[in-house]
Amino acid sequence: MVIHVAPKELKNDFWKSKDIKISFGEIIYDGEDSEEKESELEMGPTPKPNVTDLRSWDMKLLDRYEPFYAPFCDMCCLCTYGKCDLTDGKKGACGIDIKAQQARIVLLACCIGAAAHSAHARHLLEHLIEKKGEDFPIDLGMNIEIEAPIIRTVVGIIPKNLGDLREAMDYMEEQNLHLLSACHTGQEGSNIDFESKALHAGLMDNLGKEIGDISQIVALNLPKGDEDAPLVELGMGTIDREKPVVLCIGHNVSSGAGIIDYVENNALEDNMEVCGICCAAIDISRYNQHAKVVGPISKQLKFIRSGVADVIVVDEQCIRTDVVEEAQKNQAKLIATTDKSCMGLPDMTNEDPDKIVSQLVNNQIEGALILDPDKVGEVATKVALKISKDRKKLKILPEMDEIQEMASECTECGWCTRVCPNSLPMMGAILEAGKGDFSKMEELNDNDICYSCGRCEQECERDLPIMSMMARIGENKIKEQKFNIRAGRGPIQDVEIRRVGAPIVLGDIPGVIAFVGCTNYPDGASDVARMAEEFLERNYIVVTSGCGAMSIGEYRDEDGKTLYEKYSGDFDAKGLVNVGSCVSNAHIPGACIKIANIFAKKPLEGNFEEIADYILNRVGACGVAWGAYSQKAAAIATGINRWGIPVVLGPHGTKYRRLFLGRTDLDEKWKINDMRNVTVVQGEPAPEHLLYAAENREEATVAVAKLCLRPNDTSKGRQLKLNHYIDIHRKYFGTIPEDVYKYIRVEKDIPITYKKDIKAILDERGWAPKKIISEPSIRDFKGQSSPENFKNKSHPKADAK
Amino acid sequence: MYERIIPWQPTAIAGPKQALLVTPKTAKMMIKRAKRPLFVVGPIIKEDPLLKLTIDIANKWNIPIVTTGDAYKTLRDRDTNSNPYGIVEITNLLKDPEWKGVNGEGQHDLVMFIGCIYYIASQGLSTLKHFAPHLKTLTICKFFHSNADASFPNMKDEEWLNYLEKMKIA
Ligand code: SF4
Ligand code: SF4
Ligand code: SF4
């Protein structure tokens, strides 16, 4: 049973024009504690917003944080008029200009990302409904009443059981379809409107992820906001290579869960290893802590090449699309398990499991597509048990002397380095290896500085198997590759929000930093862990998910501890909270939404704009997607942005083509409404940017500290936040930042440690105290008509003048 | 020759518009002609002889410096003053014809780059190529940047250092 807070057919204009409260009598709750309750819920103005319903909010964001474009390609080849050259102000044959074209590609990326998360969510939802029934309750335990903050706010419903999630899913799918259609030739013509749609796609992505994670948490009994979720083993060195090994790659837990169930039901836990790479690893280890996490996506090719896995089970997203070929190289057996990635394999879903096992073992098929997770469990396990012994005898990787011999054939053409996404000095490393010194190759292997994309190998004019050489060199230190990660806990508890809501909003906790996303790091995985460590030491709350969470686990501090061992999993100052996989990212904006609701009593249902405005101006949260590479990551960041949360990307993030940058030199951009006094006042550039890309870790760390400033900080909170900003700036830049004067509103804001220096800066700048804004907002004053929003430079009409 | 004038990372190629290949002689001509040049120095420049050459070039031509990444500290440790900006921030300002420049004297008309990470520099140069027709970009890294207006070719270290030495003399 779903609680509708507004009748569906009366939505939109009717609800927007009237401030209506609906009283529900007789809501019967299912389950043990069935009772009659009366609930009064207020429906906000935008339940199930259509593509244009939040456009006026987007225009406000985009006016302050104007899109910055860095075209990755000057041409367009989407239709047969093309290719069209869009340089020097030229337009395509359809009339599109370079800005709109970039924005269109961003929208496309966000639609793809949102679709990937949400199709995954739909698959999980239907699979779990089939297993558990539509009426299976959404129960996240005693401490979580606001079970689905995004669904509540965006869709305007309170889902009570799995079946209810379908309504949110239907809505999301419909919106994504409209958004995708806008990418067709001859549809949208304004870059700003493309951006508004991209923000909507990002929001739909957030929604899809929430549906996916809630479904799996409740139906598969994953940790429910448990701050003490167990530590699970992480690292290539944790896998017992003597045992049969099944490796899961991808994101969808169903087939992994099928394998674990089969292994447990047949009491085979001690006889084999089930492990994973990428989010599949995180989610199977949430399902069962005996499953092991090999590591993030950067380990994929290395680990496959190492030959340790007897059976490779791929589900969806971020799997190597040449995995069939790679598996064959070392006689591993491949099972594809979802409609998204069939890999050209024969569909064996309806075959007898033993027949599939025999065909795989006897090489009659090059792999199997099995769309039934339980059958995957049986087949994968049986195959691994059958072939493991013989496979262990195979010689898969070259010996060190062979590596030296091969390396000595290098012609110094230099192309391995030129084609490397990070221009890594592979040629130099190979040359040294040719002389018997492997240390440079080892360095590239450590911390996944080389993330085994394989581009160098295919370019090599001597056909050196660089990836296999790297995999073998990595084996030398395999015993050190033993770490851990706290199992993904899912949502933040309401009680935790009650505890930290005030300190976060008032600034006593300097910020909530979320390290999310993939491993397209500019300089190895340890940068992420070092950033996390820096903020943990400074009392920030650090949240993480997906590959970022694994990268953090692969690092040990000076005392040899992982950060998960050192810091608790509490959502509190100095807490390191692994929420889970990619879909669990939903709990990060979810926590911010809960702060608005639990701490500030803002109603959620259908109330997107008020909640986002609250977060933008009051909740000092900042996302970091240091190695973001995928379209999903584009959607995640864009969705987070629409809630008013800034995100810092690594340098590769500029290849997404678009950032949202503020202009601190233009005062008019930072005018802000004081809702209490109904006046427009001069605000401060906080947060300074909405989507930023930093060139290196040092720059990013400073930027993150600054991006936690909010107009609503109390003086005490501001002092604390500035103190960290200045400290970090001094550490990496050697000085007190010049722009600190912009963030001192009154003398009380000045951090005591830096009083003298800051006063000197203030004097030099002719600083005068400003009033602290009591209720900062970028929303319109009540009763003001929204067309005001469109009188801004970003609007297409303004552009045309 | 071909290998010298395709982008250092070959896939950075964006379209038909390509940078002009320049030697130190032409590069210096561009600086001489510029009214308000700017020198953007990235974090790859960490040690001598590159660091010294970079500072010498800035001093020789008396060009204000913007540092990106954490290069501000590197230069400061050598008593060289600069204006720290993120590479995306400075690019964003440079594309606005109304921006007053680092010294408040007006938008720059030539921006010379050295030491930024190749691919992020390539993206920044793309922004300027498309949206900053009011200025010219020049890169003096050892990599050919097709998104610049003018670029040194792909070179080995020795040849590059030689090029930079030449940039120090008028
Ligand atoms: S969609 Fe437009 S810009 Fe792209 S190829 Fe077709 S006509 Fe050219
Ligand atoms: S595998 Fe990829 S990241 Fe590693 S050196 Fe080769 S090209 Fe670079
Ligand atoms: S591509 Fe191959 S031959 Fe060329 S430098 Fe690299 S390792 Fe040597």
Side-chain angles (χ1 to χ4, degrees):
Chain A
M1 178 197 60
V2 58
I3 298 182
H4 279 106
V5 285
K8 212 169 157 186
E9 55 283 6
L10 290 178
K11 71 163 220 168
N12 290 343
D13 295 340
F14 178 83
W15 295 99
K16 277 174 205 162
S17 57
K18 300 182 173 64
D19 197 14
I20 285 177
K21 286 186 180 175
I22 321 155
S23 177
F24 286 83
E26 296 188 339
I27 286 178
I28 313 293
Y29 284 86
D30 295 335
E32 288 159 27
D33 58 344
S34 282
E35 59 178 310
E36 285 197 2
K37 274 193 188 170
E38 178 154 332
S39 100
E40 190 177 79
L41 289 163
E42 194 176 346
M43 176 54 87
T46 54
K48 295 193 181 173
N50 226 314
V51 172
T52 51
D53 286 348
L54 298 173
R55 186 170 173 254
S56 65
W57 167 255
D58 298 335
M59 295 302 164
K60 291 183 179 102
L61 283 182
L62 296 168
D63 180 46
R64 193 199 263 186
Y65 304 103
E66 277 189 48
F68 162 94
Y69 296 109
F72 200 27
C73 177
D74 296 345
M75 297 198 281
C76 174
C77 55
L78 271 182
C79 83
T80 68
Y81 281 144
K83 297 178 182 177
C84 293
D85 173 15
L86 305 176
T87 41
D88 293 330
K90 279 180 283 204
K91 294 185 281 186
C94 62
I96 203 164
D97 68 11
I98 187 78
K99 277 192 186 177
Q101 171 65 5
Q102 300 314 297
R104 171 160 70 152
I105 300 292
V106 175
L107 171 61
L108 188 58
C110 290
C111 286
I112 296 172
H117 281 139
S118 307
H120 166 196
R122 172 64 96 174
H123 175 268
L124 269 177
L125 179 63
E126 297 305 330
H127 170 64
L128 294 171
I129 285 176
E130 202 182 303
K131 279 197 128 160
K132 306 274 178 181
E134 299 191 323
D135 295 334
F136 193 83
I138 293 174
D139 177 3
L140 290 162
M142 298 268 290
N143 294 328
I144 299 175
E145 275 183 27
I146 301 167
E147 67 307 287
I150 298 175
I151 295 175
R152 284 192 187 211
T153 312
V154 178
V155 187
I157 59 170
I158 299 175
K160 291 287 163 195
N161 52 45
L162 283 181
D164 292 345
L165 294 173
R166 280 183 171 144
E167 183 174 341
M169 201 73 249
D170 290 348
Y171 159 72
M172 183 279 153
E173 288 165 346
E174 185 197 335
Q175 294 302 304
N176 214 39
L177 188 65
H178 290 305
L179 292 167
L180 182 59
S181 82
C183 299
H184 192 275
T185 303
Q187 298 261 44
E188 192 53 80
S190 141
N191 71 299
I192 290 296
D193 267 308
F194 271 123
E195 295 298 355
S196 168
K197 290 181 172 68
L199 289 163
H200 196 53
L203 187 65
M204 293 307 107
D205 173 79
N206 288 188
L207 187 60
K209 286 182 304 197
E210 187 173 79
I211 297 167
D213 210 35
I214 290 181
S215 313
Q216 61 180 1
I217 291 174
V218 297
L220 298 176
N221 198 23
L222 311 186
K224 295 171 173 164
D226 178 6
E227 69 274 31
D228 295 321
L231 291 176
V232 289
E233 289 185 83
L234 160 78
M236 303 224 275
T238 63
I239 313 299
D240 183 345
R241 295 160 174 235
E242 298 307 313
K243 291 181 184 171
V245 177
V246 178
L247 169 70
C248 301
I249 307 176
H251 289 75
N252 192 325
V253 73
S254 11
S255 47
I259 298 165
I260 286 175
D261 288 347
Y262 186 84
V263 167
E264 283 206 327
N265 293 341
N266 293 280
L268 292 165
E269 299 97 315
D270 295 334
N271 304 351
M272 52 184 298
E273 292 276 48
V274 181
C275 58
I277 282 180
C278 210
C279 283
I282 295 232
D283 281 345
I284 54 173
S285 67
R286 291 164 89 190
Y287 183 60
N288 185 309
Q289 55 177 327
H290 298 302
K292 289 176 181 170
V293 180
V294 173
I297 180 180
S298 47
K299 297 278 190 284
Q300 192 168 186
L301 191 54
K302 282 184 212 190
F303 193 69
I304 297 177
R305 284 284 174 97
S306 74
V308 172
D310 299 301
V311 177
I312 301 172
V313 177
V314 294
D315 52 79
E316 56 179 295
Q317 305 158 43
C318 306
I319 52 189
R320 278 200 74 95
T321 43
D322 59 355
V323 66
V324 177
E325 189 187 325
E326 285 296 336
Q328 273 171 354
K329 279 185 189 159
N330 53 36
Q331 298 179 31
K333 304 297 170 194
L334 187 81
I335 302 177
T337 60
T338 71
D339 57 348
K340 314 298 180 304
S341 327
C342 301
M343 302 290 172
L345 300 173
D347 186 352
M348 311 293 277
T349 311
N350 298 320
E351 285 294 344
D352 171 56
D354 288 317
K355 191 171 160 203
I356 313 175
V357 172
S358 124
Q359 292 196 3
L360 280 169
V361 172
N362 298 320
N363 293 323
Q364 286 163 298
I365 44 176
E366 51 176 8
L369 171 66
I370 307 176
L371 298 169
D372 171 351
D374 295 329
K375 201 170 276 184
V376 171
E378 181 176 352
V379 173
T381 311
K382 284 183 169 168
V383 172
L385 289 167
K386 276 204 162 91
I387 65 172
S388 170
K389 232 188 195 146
D390 285 344
R391 274 193 80 256
K392 303 294 177 224
K393 291 181 209 144
L394 289 174
K395 180 177 166 309
I396 285 168
L397 293 174
E399 295 302 335
M400 296 304 283
D401 53 345
E402 291 171 291
I403 293 180
Q404 182 178 347
E405 203 183 308
M406 288 190 279
S408 67
E409 287 175 26
C410 167
T411 60
E412 298 184 47
C413 73
W415 279 100
C416 45
T417 295
R418 282 183 71 169
V419 298
C420 173
N422 283 322
S423 312
L424 294 176
M426 186 52 91
M427 180 181 88
I430 298 270
L431 287 173
E432 292 303 311
K435 296 180 205 147
D437 175 2
F438 303 102
S439 59
K440 291 248 159 62
M441 287 187 85
E442 249 166 37
E443 265 170 44
L444 290 178
N445 182 66
D446 290 349
N447 297 313
D448 291 346
I449 288 176
C450 158
Y451 41 51
S452 61
C453 71
R455 260 170 43 174
C456 52
E457 181 182 88
Q458 47 173 358
E459 201 72 23
C460 178
E461 60 182 23
R462 300 311 305 255
D463 289 330
L464 300 184
I466 301 178
M467 290 298 91
S468 301
M469 293 156 84
M470 288 289 281
R472 173 64 188 85
I473 283 166
E475 305 267 285
N476 292 341
K477 285 196 189 168
I478 201 73
K479 288 204 178 78
E480 292 168 30
Q481 297 290 308
K482 288 182 183 170
F483 310 96
N484 54 36
I485 178 171
R486 194 172 297 287
R489 61 172 273 181
I492 309 306
Q493 299 170 18
D494 299 9
V495 281
E496 290 174 300
I497 300 288
R498 250 169 232 126
R499 196 163 58 226
V500 298
I504 291 172
V505 172
L506 304 176
D508 294 342
I509 290 178
V512 183
I513 320 284
F515 292 94
V516 305
C518 346
T519 58
N520 194 8
Y521 303 132
D523 197 18
S526 61
D527 275 354
V528 174
R530 289 172 70 190
M531 282 192 264
E533 186 179 35
E534 176 124 34
F535 288 107
L536 283 163
E537 279 171 2
R538 293 178 176 276
N539 269 344
Y540 288 72
I541 301 177
V542 172
V543 183
T544 184
S545 68
C547 286
M550 294 181 250
S551 292
I552 289 175
E554 289 175 325
Y555 168 86
R556 291 188 188 277
D557 71 356
E558 286 168 355
D559 308 325
K561 281 190 174 166
T562 69
L563 297 180
Y564 293 106
E565 287 165 343
K566 190 164 171 185
Y567 296 97
S568 83
D570 297 345
F571 188 77
D572 204 340
K574 277 193 190 312
L576 173 57
V577 183
N578 174 20
V579 286
S581 58
C582 281
V583 284
S584 318
N585 272 318
H587 307 305
I588 299 171
C592 298
I593 299 166
K594 284 191 188 191
I595 292 174
N597 177 253
I598 295 173
F599 171 68
K601 306 268 181 291
K602 301 273 177 205
L604 297 183
E605 290 71 23
N607 202 22
F608 175 83
E609 193 174 313
E610 188 178 3
I611 299 296
D613 185 58
Y614 183 91
I615 295 172
L616 173 70
N617 288 294
R618 291 158 203 260
V619 182
C622 179
V624 185
W626 193 238
Y629 91 99
S630 65
Q631 297 95 58
K632 291 192 302 164
I636 294 171
T638 305
I640 293 275
N641 284 161
R642 205 186 205 189
W643 291 103
I645 304 169
V647 175
V648 175
L649 303 168
H652 286 290
T654 52
K655 298 179 195 166
Y656 282 125
R657 302 163 173 78
R658 178 270 276 138
L659 300 169
F660 295 131
L661 301 182
R663 285 284 298 268
T664 59
D665 57 317
L666 303 176
D667 283 347
E668 68 270 19
K669 289 280 178 193
W670 305 96
K671 290 255 181 337
I672 198 160
N673 293 344
D674 183 344
M675 292 312 233
R676 183 156 318 153
N677 302 312
V678 197
T679 44
V680 180
V681 290
Q682 183 61 49
E684 38 182 1
E688 185 177 4
H689 304 295
L690 205 52
L691 187 61
Y692 185 76
E695 204 171 348
N696 60 13
R697 173 178 63 85
E698 292 81 356
E699 180 192 347
T701 311
V702 176
V704 169
K706 192 177 1 170
L707 286 173
C708 288
L709 297 166
R710 290 295 176 278
N712 190 59
D713 297 336
T714 59
S715 280
K716 192 169 151 240
R718 179 57 60 88
Q719 268 193 39
L720 198 79
K721 290 184 182 187
L722 284 178
N723 208 54
H724 290 299
Y725 169 45
I726 297 169
D727 273 359
I728 292 174
H729 196 278
R730 286 184 63 210
K731 180 169 173 186
Y732 294 118
F733 286 72
T735 55
I736 294 178
E738 278 294 313
D739 65 355
V740 69
Y741 73 94
K742 290 181 181 157
Y743 301 102
I744 309 279
R745 299 158 300 181
V746 292
E747 287 225 5
K748 274 187 171 171
D749 289 351
I750 305 174
I752 296 160
T753 349
Y754 295 112
K755 198 149 201 166
K756 220 175 109 213
D757 297 309
I758 291 182
K759 282 224 161 167
I761 295 177
L762 295 182
D763 285 347
E764 197 186 311
R765 297 278 177 175
W767 174 87
K770 298 182 272 275
K771 241 184 111 217
I772 295 184
I773 307 159
S774 35
E775 232 180 279
S777 168
I778 64 166
R779 302 180 74 205
D780 301 325
F781 296 118
K782 272 214 173 81
Q784 199 185 58
S785 66
S786 61
E788 274 300 306
N789 307 326
F790 295 89
K791 285 189 193 160
N792 67 43
K793 259 176 66 188
S794 314
H795 189 256
K797 281 185 189 149
D799 255 3
K801 71 176 179 266
Chain B
M1 196 58 202
Y2 162 79
E3 291 202 347
R4 285 164 71 86
I5 53 159
I6 60 168
W8 163 253
Q9 282 191 349
T11 48
I13 199 142
K17 194 176 176 183
Q18 296 289 310
L20 185 73
L21 174 73
V22 293
T23 57
K25 196 172 159 200
T26 326
K28 286 188 281 190
M29 197 92 84
M30 290 176 77
I31 300 175
K32 279 182 202 156
R33 280 200 197 131
K35 288 197 184 73
R36 278 185 300 276
L38 182 70
F39 194 11
V40 176
V41 178
I44 291 175
I45 304 292
K46 284 257 181 291
E47 286 160 12
D48 287 337
L50 273 179
L51 182 55
K52 186 166 184 317
L53 280 167
T54 302
I55 294 170
D56 287 350
I57 292 168
N59 289 339
K60 159 73 206 159
W61 300 98
N62 194 21
I63 317 179
I65 303 175
V66 157
T67 34
T68 71
D70 62 339
Y72 175 78
K73 190 164 187 294
T74 314
L75 263 67
R76 190 173 172 271
D77 292 344
R78 289 292 184 91
D79 300 320
T80 302
N81 205 17
S82 70
N83 307 274
Y85 285 95
I87 187 168
V88 298
E89 274 175 328
I90 187 64
T91 307
N92 195 31
L93 294 170
L94 286 168
K95 79 179 178 28
D96 176 2
E98 306 295 317
W99 185 53
K100 293 286 174 270
V102 286
N103 294 334
E105 290 162 359
Q107 182 57 285
H108 302 278
D109 56 351
L110 174 74
V111 190
M112 180 164 75
F113 289 84
I114 194 168
C116 297
I117 293 178
Y118 184 82
Y119 53 87
I120 198 170
S122 176
Q123 289 301 92
L125 289 163
S126 168
T127 302
L128 298 175
K129 171 168 92 175
H130 285 281
F131 307 117
H134 48 272
L135 56 78
K136 293 266 176 265
T137 57
L138 163 68
T139 60
I140 58 168
C141 274
K142 64 169 176 174
F143 309 124
F144 187 69
H145 266 292
S146 57
N147 281 329
D149 287 306
S151 170
F152 279 0
N154 296 315
M155 287 178 275
K156 295 242 159 73
D157 282 345
E158 197 183 330
E159 189 183 4
W160 183 37
L161 292 176
N162 192 14
Y163 266 44
L164 294 180
E165 286 290 346
K166 287 188 182 153
M167 291 299 292
K168 278 166 47 184
I169 9 173

